[in-house]
Amino acid sequence: MWEQFFENHILERGREYFELGLVKKVEVKDKITRAIVDGSKEYKVEINDTRHGLKLSCDCPYADTGEYCKHLAAVLFYLDEKEKEVQMQDQIDELIDLIDEADPSFIKDFLLDVLIKDEILLYQFKSLVQEDINPDDIKRYKNYIDSIFYKYTDDYDYIDYDNAMDFVSDLDGALKNIEEMIDNEQLEQAFELNNYIFIRLG
């Protein structure tokens, strides 16, 4: 991985530059990438993907000393992200073809089986296809939230260090469902469930 050639603080600054959208005018031709990165002024970056590895250059003062700069890191983060987007789109296209070729009754049975086994997906599906969430759904959702707490807390409602990250991950899944309710303007239900989680955490 190219990250190993950069100092950690340079990588952090490069990621910040990338996330702020400071990588501009990217051109890729014959395995050579040229880009402009906004800094104290505009800096020209060139990345050449050769048989022997990446050849990196930037016209900033830091790179002039032979070091790899934040502008180079920003462009490399940009290229990595674009590669991930291409791979994701390829995967989406493959799945679309697979779904189009499958028998509709098989898809229905498969979806039913998945939703029965995964409550998180079930609530996501319901919030997407139902205009209203009924009281029974809210009750079941609260029971699901309770099950997360019961899973990770001891008899004194304490969550130890080893279980904390898994607890946060499961609870985050529940919160994402509530975000989808808000997006679908199911505001009363979202508020009730958010408040329920807040009280449980307290």
Side-chain angles (χ1 to χ4, degrees):
M1 293 292 291
W2 58 265
E3 288 98 331
Q4 63 184 311
F5 300 110
F6 289 78
E7 298 288 341
N8 287 335
H9 69 284
I10 297 296
L11 277 177
E12 291 173 9
R13 294 290 288 145
R15 183 181 291 279
E16 287 176 10
Y17 271 44
F18 160 68
E19 291 175 348
L20 288 170
L22 299 180
V23 179
K24 312 282 188 181
K25 300 178 183 177
V26 181
E27 297 179 359
V28 181
K29 185 178 181 181
D30 298 330
K31 294 189 176 182
I32 297 176
T33 300
R34 294 184 177 89
I36 299 295
V37 180
D38 284 339
S40 54
K41 67 174 188 177
E42 290 188 344
Y43 293 105
K44 296 178 182 178
V45 169
E46 183 173 299
I47 298 171
N48 190 352
D49 188 359
T50 72
R51 289 183 303 169
H52 306 292
L54 296 177
K55 184 178 179 182
L56 312 175
S57 66
C58 177
D59 64 355
C60 75
Y62 187 79
D64 279 343
T65 65
E67 302 290 341
Y68 291 142
C69 64
K70 58 192 173 186
H71 311 107
L72 287 166
V75 176
L76 287 166
F77 279 123
Y78 175 93
L79 294 175
D80 278 359
E81 185 65 25
K82 288 301 176 184
E83 184 177 351
K84 289 177 184 176
E85 289 176 5
V86 170
Q87 291 173 351
M88 179 62 72
Q89 188 58 53
D90 288 343
Q91 187 176 18
I92 290 172
D93 292 341
E94 183 180 345
L95 286 173
I96 289 173
D97 290 341
L98 193 63
I99 292 169
D100 287 342
E101 293 171 3
D103 184 272
S105 62
F106 171 80
I107 295 175
K108 185 176 180 180
D109 291 341
F110 179 80
L111 181 61
L112 180 64
D113 185 57
V114 168
L115 294 178
I116 288 173
K117 292 177 179 177
D118 192 320
E119 287 187 279
I120 283 286
L121 288 178
L122 173 60
Y123 295 126
Q124 287 178 341
F125 186 75
K126 281 190 172 185
S127 67
L128 288 171
V129 300
Q130 290 183 182
E131 291 185 4
D132 296 315
I133 298 175
N134 62 50
D136 287 337
D137 287 329
I138 292 294
K139 185 176 179 180
R140 282 193 290 269
Y141 202 90
K142 287 180 178 178
N143 288 338
Y144 173 70
I145 292 168
D146 287 339
S147 73
I148 295 174
F149 282 85
Y150 293 142
K151 182 177 179 181
Y152 295 107
T153 55
D154 61 17
D155 293 339
Y156 302 96
D157 284 338
Y158 177 75
I159 301 174
D160 62 33
Y161 178 82
D162 292 333
N163 289 317
M165 290 304 296
D166 290 336
F167 168 74
V168 170
S169 179
D170 282 5
L171 196 60
D172 184 58
L175 289 170
K176 285 178 180 176
N177 284 344
I178 295 174
E179 288 177 8
E180 290 178 1
M181 292 178 192
I182 294 172
D183 291 340
N184 294 330
E185 297 188 356
Q186 298 159 335
L187 303 181
E188 290 184 14
Q189 297 92 333
F191 176 80
E192 182 177 350
L193 292 172
N194 235 1
N195 193 50
Y196 188 76
I197 292 174
F198 178 77
I199 292 171
R200 285 303 312 261
L201 285 170

